[in-house]
PDB file of all heavy atoms in Angstrom:
ATOM      1  N   ALA A   1      21.990   0.728  -6.972  1.00  0.00           N
ATOM      2  CA  ALA A   1      22.057   1.757  -8.013  1.00  0.00           C
ATOM      3  C   ALA A   1      20.668   2.158  -8.498  1.00  0.00           C
ATOM      4  O   ALA A   1      20.406   3.330  -8.764  1.00  0.00           O
ATOM      5  CB  ALA A   1      22.902   1.260  -9.187  1.00  0.00           C
ATOM      6  N   LEU A   2      19.757   1.206  -8.590  1.00  0.00           N
ATOM      7  CA  LEU A   2      18.414   1.488  -9.094  1.00  0.00           C
ATOM      8  C   LEU A   2      17.470   1.997  -8.021  1.00  0.00           C
ATOM      9  O   LEU A   2      16.535   2.735  -8.316  1.00  0.00           O
ATOM     10  CB  LEU A   2      17.810   0.229  -9.722  1.00  0.00           C
ATOM     11  CG  LEU A   2      18.468  -0.273 -10.984  1.00  0.00           C
ATOM     12  CD1 LEU A   2      17.828  -1.584 -11.419  1.00  0.00           C
ATOM     13  CD2 LEU A   2      18.401   0.751 -12.087  1.00  0.00           C
ATOM     14  N   GLY A   3      17.702   1.610  -6.778  1.00  0.00           N
ATOM     15  CA  GLY A   3      16.735   1.894  -5.728  1.00  0.00           C
ATOM     16  C   GLY A   3      16.964   3.154  -4.929  1.00  0.00           C
ATOM     17  O   GLY A   3      16.251   3.389  -3.968  1.00  0.00           O
ATOM     18  N   ASP A   4      17.895   3.976  -5.304  1.00  0.00           N
ATOM     19  CA  ASP A   4      18.223   5.147  -4.485  1.00  0.00           C
ATOM     20  C   ASP A   4      17.080   6.147  -4.355  1.00  0.00           C
ATOM     21  O   ASP A   4      16.840   6.685  -3.293  1.00  0.00           O
ATOM     22  CB  ASP A   4      19.464   5.851  -5.034  1.00  0.00           C
ATOM     23  CG  ASP A   4      20.739   5.074  -4.759  1.00  0.00           C
ATOM     24  OD1 ASP A   4      20.716   4.171  -3.909  1.00  0.00           O
ATOM     25  OD2 ASP A   4      21.744   5.375  -5.398  1.00  0.00           O
ATOM     26  N   ASP A   5      16.341   6.415  -5.425  1.00  0.00           N
ATOM     27  CA  ASP A   5      15.337   7.483  -5.370  1.00  0.00           C
ATOM     28  C   ASP A   5      13.902   6.981  -5.504  1.00  0.00           C
ATOM     29  O   ASP A   5      12.976   7.784  -5.540  1.00  0.00           O
ATOM     30  CB  ASP A   5      15.611   8.521  -6.449  1.00  0.00           C
ATOM     31  CG  ASP A   5      15.477   7.961  -7.854  1.00  0.00           C
ATOM     32  OD1 ASP A   5      15.251   6.746  -8.003  1.00  0.00           O
ATOM     33  OD2 ASP A   5      15.591   8.738  -8.817  1.00  0.00           O
ATOM     34  N   GLY A   6      13.688   5.688  -5.587  1.00  0.00           N
ATOM     35  CA  GLY A   6      12.337   5.152  -5.722  1.00  0.00           C
ATOM     36  C   GLY A   6      11.821   5.135  -7.146  1.00  0.00           C
ATOM     37  O   GLY A   6      10.724   4.657  -7.402  1.00  0.00           O
ATOM     38  N   GLY A   7      12.586   5.665  -8.069  1.00  0.00           N
ATOM     39  CA  GLY A   7      12.164   5.719  -9.470  1.00  0.00           C
ATOM     40  C   GLY A   7      11.991   4.338 -10.090  1.00  0.00           C
ATOM     41  O   GLY A   7      11.076   4.115 -10.877  1.00  0.00           O
ATOM     42  N   PHE A   8      12.854   3.416  -9.712  1.00  0.00           N
ATOM     43  CA  PHE A   8      12.749   2.064 -10.255  1.00  0.00           C
ATOM     44  C   PHE A   8      11.450   1.404  -9.812  1.00  0.00           C
ATOM     45  O   PHE A   8      10.739   0.803 -10.611  1.00  0.00           O
ATOM     46  CB  PHE A   8      13.950   1.214  -9.824  1.00  0.00           C
ATOM     47  CG  PHE A   8      13.831  -0.218 -10.257  1.00  0.00           C
ATOM     48  CD1 PHE A   8      14.086  -0.587 -11.561  1.00  0.00           C
ATOM     49  CD2 PHE A   8      13.431  -1.197  -9.367  1.00  0.00           C
ATOM     50  CE1 PHE A   8      13.962  -1.901 -11.977  1.00  0.00           C
ATOM     51  CE2 PHE A   8      13.295  -2.516  -9.760  1.00  0.00           C
ATOM     52  CZ  PHE A   8      13.565  -2.869 -11.080  1.00  0.00           C
ATOM     53  N   THR A   9      11.117   1.546  -8.532  1.00  0.00           N
ATOM     54  CA  THR A   9       9.898   0.927  -8.010  1.00  0.00           C
ATOM     55  C   THR A   9       8.662   1.531  -8.671  1.00  0.00           C
ATOM     56  O   THR A   9       7.747   0.815  -9.059  1.00  0.00           O
ATOM     57  CB  THR A   9       9.821   1.079  -6.484  1.00  0.00           C
ATOM     58  OG1 THR A   9      11.004   0.519  -5.906  1.00  0.00           O
ATOM     59  CG2 THR A   9       8.614   0.372  -5.911  1.00  0.00           C
ATOM     60  N   ARG A  10       8.625   2.853  -8.823  1.00  0.00           N
ATOM     61  CA  ARG A  10       7.504   3.520  -9.497  1.00  0.00           C
ATOM     62  C   ARG A  10       7.367   2.999 -10.933  1.00  0.00           C
ATOM     63  O   ARG A  10       6.276   2.674 -11.379  1.00  0.00           O
ATOM     64  CB  ARG A  10       7.677   5.034  -9.492  1.00  0.00           C
ATOM     65  CG  ARG A  10       6.589   5.757 -10.290  1.00  0.00           C
ATOM     66  CD  ARG A  10       6.688   7.257 -10.143  1.00  0.00           C
ATOM     67  NE  ARG A  10       6.292   7.690  -8.813  1.00  0.00           N
ATOM     68  CZ  ARG A  10       5.028   7.851  -8.440  1.00  0.00           C
ATOM     69  NH1 ARG A  10       4.047   7.626  -9.267  1.00  0.00           N
ATOM     70  NH2 ARG A  10       4.750   8.241  -7.213  1.00  0.00           N
ATOM     71  N   CYS A  11       8.477   2.912 -11.641  1.00  0.00           N
ATOM     72  CA  CYS A  11       8.441   2.430 -13.030  1.00  0.00           C
ATOM     73  C   CYS A  11       7.948   0.988 -13.085  1.00  0.00           C
ATOM     74  O   CYS A  11       7.140   0.640 -13.948  1.00  0.00           O
ATOM     75  CB  CYS A  11       9.826   2.555 -13.649  1.00  0.00           C
ATOM     76  SG  CYS A  11       9.877   2.087 -15.387  1.00  0.00           S
ATOM     77  N   LEU A  12       8.409   0.149 -12.159  1.00  0.00           N
ATOM     78  CA  LEU A  12       7.979  -1.249 -12.132  1.00  0.00           C
ATOM     79  C   LEU A  12       6.479  -1.347 -11.872  1.00  0.00           C
ATOM     80  O   LEU A  12       5.774  -2.114 -12.542  1.00  0.00           O
ATOM     81  CB  LEU A  12       8.761  -2.025 -11.072  1.00  0.00           C
ATOM     82  CG  LEU A  12       8.438  -3.512 -10.956  1.00  0.00           C
ATOM     83  CD1 LEU A  12       8.715  -4.241 -12.264  1.00  0.00           C
ATOM     84  CD2 LEU A  12       9.238  -4.131  -9.823  1.00  0.00           C
ATOM     85  N   VAL A  13       5.971  -0.567 -10.928  1.00  0.00           N
ATOM     86  CA  VAL A  13       4.534  -0.562 -10.648  1.00  0.00           C
ATOM     87  C   VAL A  13       3.763  -0.142 -11.899  1.00  0.00           C
ATOM     88  O   VAL A  13       2.773  -0.773 -12.278  1.00  0.00           O
ATOM     89  CB  VAL A  13       4.195   0.365  -9.455  1.00  0.00           C
ATOM     90  CG1 VAL A  13       2.698   0.617  -9.360  1.00  0.00           C
ATOM     91  CG2 VAL A  13       4.714  -0.234  -8.156  1.00  0.00           C
ATOM     92  N   GLN A  14       4.225   0.904 -12.558  1.00  0.00           N
ATOM     93  CA  GLN A  14       3.536   1.385 -13.760  1.00  0.00           C
ATOM     94  C   GLN A  14       3.525   0.325 -14.861  1.00  0.00           C
ATOM     95  O   GLN A  14       2.487   0.076 -15.483  1.00  0.00           O
ATOM     96  CB  GLN A  14       4.203   2.668 -14.269  1.00  0.00           C
ATOM     97  CG  GLN A  14       3.980   3.849 -13.367  1.00  0.00           C
ATOM     98  CD  GLN A  14       4.815   5.047 -13.755  1.00  0.00           C
ATOM     99  OE1 GLN A  14       5.863   4.930 -14.391  1.00  0.00           O
ATOM    100  NE2 GLN A  14       4.358   6.234 -13.370  1.00  0.00           N
ATOM    101  N   LYS A  15       4.661  -0.303 -15.099  1.00  0.00           N
ATOM    102  CA  LYS A  15       4.748  -1.312 -16.166  1.00  0.00           C
ATOM    103  C   LYS A  15       3.881  -2.528 -15.852  1.00  0.00           C
ATOM    104  O   LYS A  15       3.210  -3.072 -16.738  1.00  0.00           O
ATOM    105  CB  LYS A  15       6.201  -1.738 -16.402  1.00  0.00           C
ATOM    106  CG  LYS A  15       7.102  -0.629 -16.880  1.00  0.00           C
ATOM    107  CD  LYS A  15       6.636  -0.061 -18.193  1.00  0.00           C
ATOM    108  CE  LYS A  15       7.586   1.026 -18.665  1.00  0.00           C
ATOM    109  NZ  LYS A  15       7.152   1.652 -19.900  1.00  0.00           N
ATOM    110  N   LEU A  16       3.891  -2.984 -14.602  1.00  0.00           N
ATOM    111  CA  LEU A  16       3.060  -4.131 -14.235  1.00  0.00           C
ATOM    112  C   LEU A  16       1.579  -3.773 -14.284  1.00  0.00           C
ATOM    113  O   LEU A  16       0.745  -4.616 -14.635  1.00  0.00           O
ATOM    114  CB  LEU A  16       3.439  -4.649 -12.848  1.00  0.00           C
ATOM    115  CG  LEU A  16       4.798  -5.348 -12.751  1.00  0.00           C
ATOM    116  CD1 LEU A  16       5.129  -5.693 -11.301  1.00  0.00           C
ATOM    117  CD2 LEU A  16       4.835  -6.592 -13.617  1.00  0.00           C
ATOM    118  N   LEU A  17       1.246  -2.538 -13.950  1.00  0.00           N
ATOM    119  CA  LEU A  17      -0.142  -2.094 -14.022  1.00  0.00           C
ATOM    120  C   LEU A  17      -0.610  -2.029 -15.476  1.00  0.00           C
ATOM    121  O   LEU A  17      -1.734  -2.440 -15.789  1.00  0.00           O
ATOM    122  CB  LEU A  17      -0.282  -0.733 -13.340  1.00  0.00           C
ATOM    123  CG  LEU A  17      -1.672  -0.274 -12.956  1.00  0.00           C
ATOM    124  CD1 LEU A  17      -2.428  -1.322 -12.156  1.00  0.00           C
ATOM    125  CD2 LEU A  17      -1.586   1.019 -12.157  1.00  0.00           C
ATOM    126  N   VAL A  18       0.240  -1.561 -16.368  1.00  0.00           N
ATOM    127  CA  VAL A  18      -0.087  -1.554 -17.802  1.00  0.00           C
ATOM    128  C   VAL A  18      -0.379  -2.980 -18.262  1.00  0.00           C
ATOM    129  O   VAL A  18      -1.368  -3.237 -18.957  1.00  0.00           O
ATOM    130  CB  VAL A  18       1.060  -0.940 -18.635  1.00  0.00           C
ATOM    131  CG1 VAL A  18       0.917  -1.253 -20.121  1.00  0.00           C
ATOM    132  CG2 VAL A  18       1.123   0.564 -18.414  1.00  0.00           C
ATOM    133  N   TYR A  19       0.471  -3.907 -17.867  1.00  0.00           N
ATOM    134  CA  TYR A  19       0.275  -5.308 -18.242  1.00  0.00           C
ATOM    135  C   TYR A  19      -1.030  -5.845 -17.662  1.00  0.00           C
ATOM    136  O   TYR A  19      -1.821  -6.483 -18.361  1.00  0.00           O
ATOM    137  CB  TYR A  19       1.461  -6.150 -17.765  1.00  0.00           C
ATOM    138  CG  TYR A  19       1.333  -7.598 -18.115  1.00  0.00           C
ATOM    139  CD1 TYR A  19       1.600  -8.047 -19.410  1.00  0.00           C
ATOM    140  CD2 TYR A  19       0.935  -8.531 -17.169  1.00  0.00           C
ATOM    141  CE1 TYR A  19       1.469  -9.387 -19.740  1.00  0.00           C
ATOM    142  CE2 TYR A  19       0.799  -9.873 -17.495  1.00  0.00           C
ATOM    143  CZ  TYR A  19       1.072 -10.290 -18.777  1.00  0.00           C
ATOM    144  OH  TYR A  19       0.935 -11.609 -19.110  1.00  0.00           O
ATOM    145  N   GLY A  20      -1.276  -5.576 -16.385  1.00  0.00           N
ATOM    146  CA  GLY A  20      -2.476  -6.082 -15.722  1.00  0.00           C
ATOM    147  C   GLY A  20      -3.763  -5.496 -16.271  1.00  0.00           C
ATOM    148  O   GLY A  20      -4.785  -6.172 -16.344  1.00  0.00           O
ATOM    149  N   LEU A  21      -3.722  -4.224 -16.654  1.00  0.00           N
ATOM    150  CA  LEU A  21      -4.919  -3.571 -17.188  1.00  0.00           C
ATOM    151  C   LEU A  21      -5.119  -3.862 -18.672  1.00  0.00           C
ATOM    152  O   LEU A  21      -6.230  -3.737 -19.184  1.00  0.00           O
ATOM    153  CB  LEU A  21      -4.835  -2.052 -16.982  1.00  0.00           C
ATOM    154  CG  LEU A  21      -4.823  -1.569 -15.541  1.00  0.00           C
ATOM    155  CD1 LEU A  21      -4.604  -0.056 -15.503  1.00  0.00           C
ATOM    156  CD2 LEU A  21      -6.115  -1.942 -14.832  1.00  0.00           C
ATOM    157  N   GLY A  22      -4.042  -4.211 -19.354  1.00  0.00           N
ATOM    158  CA  GLY A  22      -4.138  -4.459 -20.791  1.00  0.00           C
ATOM    159  C   GLY A  22      -4.312  -3.173 -21.589  1.00  0.00           C
ATOM    160  O   GLY A  22      -4.852  -3.190 -22.691  1.00  0.00           O
ATOM    161  N   ARG A  23      -3.855  -2.072 -21.025  1.00  0.00           N
ATOM    162  CA  ARG A  23      -3.943  -0.783 -21.714  1.00  0.00           C
ATOM    163  C   ARG A  23      -2.892   0.156 -21.152  1.00  0.00           C
ATOM    164  O   ARG A  23      -2.319  -0.085 -20.093  1.00  0.00           O
ATOM    165  CB  ARG A  23      -5.326  -0.166 -21.532  1.00  0.00           C
ATOM    166  CG  ARG A  23      -5.665   0.197 -20.087  1.00  0.00           C
ATOM    167  CD  ARG A  23      -6.864   1.124 -19.999  1.00  0.00           C
ATOM    168  NE  ARG A  23      -7.291   1.404 -18.641  1.00  0.00           N
ATOM    169  CZ  ARG A  23      -6.729   2.322 -17.857  1.00  0.00           C
ATOM    170  NH1 ARG A  23      -5.699   3.023 -18.273  1.00  0.00           N
ATOM    171  NH2 ARG A  23      -7.197   2.522 -16.628  1.00  0.00           N
ATOM    172  N   ALA A  24      -2.660   1.238 -21.874  1.00  0.00           N
ATOM    173  CA  ALA A  24      -1.712   2.248 -21.400  1.00  0.00           C
ATOM    174  C   ALA A  24      -2.300   2.996 -20.206  1.00  0.00           C
ATOM    175  O   ALA A  24      -3.519   3.091 -20.061  1.00  0.00           O
ATOM    176  CB  ALA A  24      -1.389   3.231 -22.526  1.00  0.00           C
ATOM    177  N   LEU A  25      -1.427   3.511 -19.365  1.00  0.00           N
ATOM    178  CA  LEU A  25      -1.896   4.316 -18.240  1.00  0.00           C
ATOM    179  C   LEU A  25      -2.374   5.669 -18.762  1.00  0.00           C
ATOM    180  O   LEU A  25      -1.842   6.205 -19.723  1.00  0.00           O
ATOM    181  CB  LEU A  25      -0.786   4.526 -17.216  1.00  0.00           C
ATOM    182  CG  LEU A  25      -0.335   3.279 -16.456  1.00  0.00           C
ATOM    183  CD1 LEU A  25       0.747   3.627 -15.448  1.00  0.00           C
ATOM    184  CD2 LEU A  25      -1.497   2.592 -15.773  1.00  0.00           C
ATOM    185  N   GLN A  26      -3.370   6.199 -18.086  1.00  0.00           N
ATOM    186  CA  GLN A  26      -3.931   7.497 -18.428  1.00  0.00           C
ATOM    187  C   GLN A  26      -3.616   8.463 -17.290  1.00  0.00           C
ATOM    188  O   GLN A  26      -3.305   8.036 -16.179  1.00  0.00           O
ATOM    189  CB  GLN A  26      -5.436   7.361 -18.644  1.00  0.00           C
ATOM    190  CG  GLN A  26      -5.770   6.397 -19.763  1.00  0.00           C
ATOM    191  CD  GLN A  26      -7.234   6.009 -19.806  1.00  0.00           C
ATOM    192  OE1 GLN A  26      -8.027   6.397 -18.958  1.00  0.00           O
ATOM    193  NE2 GLN A  26      -7.592   5.222 -20.805  1.00  0.00           N
ATOM    194  N   PRO A  27      -3.698   9.767 -17.545  1.00  0.00           N
ATOM    195  CA  PRO A  27      -3.368  10.733 -16.492  1.00  0.00           C
ATOM    196  C   PRO A  27      -4.128  10.493 -15.184  1.00  0.00           C
ATOM    197  O   PRO A  27      -3.571  10.659 -14.098  1.00  0.00           O
ATOM    198  CB  PRO A  27      -3.748  12.080 -17.103  1.00  0.00           C
ATOM    199  CG  PRO A  27      -3.574  11.867 -18.577  1.00  0.00           C
ATOM    200  CD  PRO A  27      -3.996  10.439 -18.817  1.00  0.00           C
ATOM    201  N   GLY A  28      -5.363  10.061 -15.254  1.00  0.00           N
ATOM    202  CA  GLY A  28      -6.151   9.809 -14.046  1.00  0.00           C
ATOM    203  C   GLY A  28      -5.702   8.596 -13.255  1.00  0.00           C
ATOM    204  O   GLY A  28      -6.146   8.384 -12.124  1.00  0.00           O
ATOM    205  N   ASP A  29      -4.820   7.784 -13.818  1.00  0.00           N
ATOM    206  CA  ASP A  29      -4.333   6.582 -13.144  1.00  0.00           C
ATOM    207  C   ASP A  29      -3.201   6.865 -12.162  1.00  0.00           C
ATOM    208  O   ASP A  29      -2.806   5.992 -11.398  1.00  0.00           O
ATOM    209  CB  ASP A  29      -3.849   5.547 -14.173  1.00  0.00           C
ATOM    210  CG  ASP A  29      -4.958   5.078 -15.098  1.00  0.00           C
ATOM    211  OD1 ASP A  29      -6.137   5.177 -14.715  1.00  0.00           O
ATOM    212  OD2 ASP A  29      -4.631   4.613 -16.207  1.00  0.00           O
ATOM    213  N   ALA A  30      -2.686   8.084 -12.163  1.00  0.00           N
ATOM    214  CA  ALA A  30      -1.541   8.431 -11.304  1.00  0.00           C
ATOM    215  C   ALA A  30      -1.862   8.223  -9.827  1.00  0.00           C
ATOM    216  O   ALA A  30      -1.003   7.779  -9.057  1.00  0.00           O
ATOM    217  CB  ALA A  30      -1.096   9.861 -11.563  1.00  0.00           C
ATOM    218  N   SER A  31      -3.096   8.511  -9.432  1.00  0.00           N
ATOM    219  CA  SER A  31      -3.450   8.339  -8.018  1.00  0.00           C
ATOM    220  C   SER A  31      -3.438   6.863  -7.620  1.00  0.00           C
ATOM    221  O   SER A  31      -3.093   6.530  -6.478  1.00  0.00           O
ATOM    222  CB  SER A  31      -4.813   8.962  -7.713  1.00  0.00           C
ATOM    223  OG  SER A  31      -5.825   8.345  -8.480  1.00  0.00           O
ATOM    224  N   ALA A  32      -3.795   5.982  -8.537  1.00  0.00           N
ATOM    225  CA  ALA A  32      -3.745   4.541  -8.249  1.00  0.00           C
ATOM    226  C   ALA A  32      -2.298   4.085  -8.078  1.00  0.00           C
ATOM    227  O   ALA A  32      -1.994   3.293  -7.178  1.00  0.00           O
ATOM    228  CB  ALA A  32      -4.428   3.743  -9.352  1.00  0.00           C
ATOM    229  N   VAL A  33      -1.416   4.585  -8.921  1.00  0.00           N
ATOM    230  CA  VAL A  33       0.014   4.254  -8.800  1.00  0.00           C
ATOM    231  C   VAL A  33       0.536   4.755  -7.454  1.00  0.00           C
ATOM    232  O   VAL A  33       1.226   4.029  -6.740  1.00  0.00           O
ATOM    233  CB  VAL A  33       0.826   4.856  -9.968  1.00  0.00           C
ATOM    234  CG1 VAL A  33       2.329   4.683  -9.743  1.00  0.00           C
ATOM    235  CG2 VAL A  33       0.414   4.221 -11.288  1.00  0.00           C
ATOM    236  N   ASP A  34       0.180   5.993  -7.098  1.00  0.00           N
ATOM    237  CA  ASP A  34       0.618   6.554  -5.814  1.00  0.00           C
ATOM    238  C   ASP A  34       0.100   5.725  -4.636  1.00  0.00           C
ATOM    239  O   ASP A  34       0.820   5.504  -3.665  1.00  0.00           O
ATOM    240  CB  ASP A  34       0.148   8.006  -5.679  1.00  0.00           C
ATOM    241  CG  ASP A  34       0.856   8.940  -6.644  1.00  0.00           C
ATOM    242  OD1 ASP A  34       1.948   8.587  -7.145  1.00  0.00           O
ATOM    243  OD2 ASP A  34       0.314  10.031  -6.905  1.00  0.00           O
TER     244      ASP A  34
END
């Protein structure tokens, strides 16, 4: 149910990256997520 469109994986990457960086993601961080 969660994995059909890749949205769950993108969200998980973003949340773990926020935790790892210790800050909110910024618009310029989108390329790193991609």
Side-chain angles (χ1 to χ4, degrees):
L2 293 175
D4 287 344
D5 64 356
F8 175 78
T9 304
R10 175 173 289 279
C11 184
L12 181 60
V13 167
Q14 290 171 336
K15 297 299 182 183
L16 290 174
L17 197 51
V18 165
Y19 180 78
L21 296 175
R23 64 165 175 82
L25 292 181
Q26 300 167 356
D29 298 337
S31 61
V33 172
D34 291 340

